[in-house]
Each structure stands twice: as C-alpha cells, then as structure tokens.
Amino acid sequence: MARYRCVPIDEAVAERFRRDARDDFGNPLRRVEASSANGFPCRRCLHCAEPGEAMLLGSYDLGRPRGIYWAPSPIFLHARSCRGFAAEDVLAPIIRANTLVSVRAYDAGDLCLYDLGHVCAGAEVDAPLMRALADPRTAFVNVHTARPGCLLARVERVVSA
Ligand SMILES: [Zn+2]
C-alpha cells in the first residue's frame, strides 16, 4: 500500500486569511458560526468544526493543478488559530466525514487522470484513493466535496528517503 499524507493549506495562507480578513482574490471573508457537526470542514486542521465554532469562508487559490485544470475553491477555516494536520497514512477526518467526495488524480504535468476519478462516500474512499496513489502516473490527488466541488485536501505519497 502506498504511504500517503493529507496536506492542509499552508500555515502562512491560514494566518493571512485570519489577519487580513480577505481571501486569495480580495473578497472579504464571510464569518459564520458552525451549525452542524460535519458541515464546516476546516482546511488547516482537517477536522470538522464543532457546532458553535466561528469559521471563516473564502476562496482559496489551489497550488495545484496549474494550467488547464486549475480552479479556485471555497474553503472553511477556523477563525481561531489551529494546528495544521500532520499525520501519515491517516485519512483526514474531514474527508472521512463527508457524505459524498470526489477523488481527482493528476499527473506530473497537472493533467487530470480521468480513469482514476471516483465519487463515493467519504467513509468508503480508501480503496479508490489507494488505487489512484498506486498508479505510477499519479503525481498527487485532490479530494473534493462531490456536490459543491470544494477542495477538502490534497493527498500525496510519502516517499521514504
Ligand atoms: Zn482548524
């Protein structure tokens, strides 16, 4: 099985959002209160907000893919500072908790590998995610919410030294 890590947004991006109250495209961040257990996934700690927690909503400039398949994504972020997710071979809780996710694999040239794409419940994502990571063409995988299409996390192989 390929070793992997779920990659959160950079700390610098999270801190800039919180400090400037603007997203990557200059929009004012929306401040919202989480009103359900699984509906407010933070892209920094990769945990779902607890109901009542203050969250920020803004548009995020995905690092990759670049080129033809590039797209920005709406993201939630804890309004308070939170610790970036940093575990290996552990699926991000926000992916596991989502009712319908989209697995999107990309090659080293940032082109989408359509045959590795898959839509399923987050709780059942392990097999299609491992299939995508095991494919030698895959450079990285982005997991999105399947209905609105928002990025949940990038997933990369862990390359042992
Ligand atoms: Zn968080």
Side-chain angles (χ1 to χ4, degrees), residues 77-102:
L77 176 68
H78 274 119
R80 61 171 168 83
S81 185
C82 62
R83 185 188 297 268
F85 185 82
E88 292 183 0
D89 304 321
V90 177
L91 190 69
I94 62 171
I95 295 176
R96 183 79 67 202
N98 204 274
T99 51
L100 199 63
V101 300
S102 170

Side-chain angles (χ1 to χ4, degrees), residues 13-143:
V13 173
E15 288 307 317
R16 176 166 50 78
F17 271 44
R18 290 168 180 141
R19 183 186 66 236
D20 298 347
R22 296 256 164 199
D23 68 17
D24 280 339
F25 301 92
N27 304 302
L29 294 179
R30 288 180 59 99
R31 193 181 173 92
V32 297
E33 185 177 300
S35 55
S36 66
N38 290 334
F40 297 83
C42 176
R43 271 45 166 229
R44 178 65 189 148
C45 62
L46 304 186
H47 281 76
C48 294
E50 303 284 339
E53 280 193 291
M55 304 297 288
L56 304 173
L57 175 64
S59 185
Y60 170 61
D61 183 352
L62 277 68
R64 291 183 78 182
R66 282 292 167 203
I68 293 164
Y69 287 94
W70 175 84
S73 174
I75 60 166
F76 282 114
L77 176 68
H78 274 119
R80 61 171 168 83
S81 185
C82 62
R83 185 188 297 268
F85 185 82
E88 292 183 0
D89 304 321
V90 177
L91 190 69
I94 62 171
I95 295 176
R96 183 79 67 202
N98 204 274
T99 51
L100 199 63
V101 300
S102 170
V103 174
R104 304 179 187 177
Y106 298 89
D107 69 13
D110 288 26
L111 293 177
C112 188
L113 299 162
Y114 284 12
D115 58 306
L116 296 176
H118 192 84
V119 172
C120 64
E124 293 162 7
V125 79
D126 300 76
L129 181 60
M130 289 307 116
R131 185 170 76 99
L133 290 170
D135 193 292
R137 295 169 299 163
T138 300
F140 63 96
V141 175
N142 284 344
V143 181

